[in-house]
Amino acid sequence: MTECGAVLPWLVIRQDEGGNRYRVGRYATRAEAERVADRLGTRGHQQLYVVEKADRAVT
């Protein structure tokens, strides 16, 4: 749980060309996280954006 009490189990992770991974944000639903990842992925950069469930993610 976060400080406000909301559960945000879905993560958007950015992975760069060197394999480094960074958490971009946490979201309440998978659909919301996928929308963010898709929007970021269309910017034409060389990073990969993936959606992972927080209890399974390696961050």
Side-chain angles (χ1 to χ4, degrees):
M1 276 198 186
T2 65
E3 292 178 13
C4 66
V7 176
L8 302 173
W10 294 99
L11 306 175
V12 174
I13 305 292
R14 177 177 64 91
Q15 184 169 325
D16 65 19
E17 306 86 33
N20 301 305
R21 293 167 50 94
Y22 305 94
R23 184 173 56 206
V24 175
R26 295 182 73 112
Y27 302 92
T29 67
R30 181 182 185 113
E32 181 182 14
E34 287 177 348
R35 280 193 302 273
V36 170
D38 289 344
R39 187 174 62 231
L40 292 170
T42 61
R43 292 188 177 179
H45 299 289
Q46 295 298 317
Q47 291 85 16
L48 171 67
Y49 293 92
V50 295
V51 173
E52 297 179 357
K53 191 146 187 182
D55 62 343
R56 297 182 191 172
V58 178
T59 58

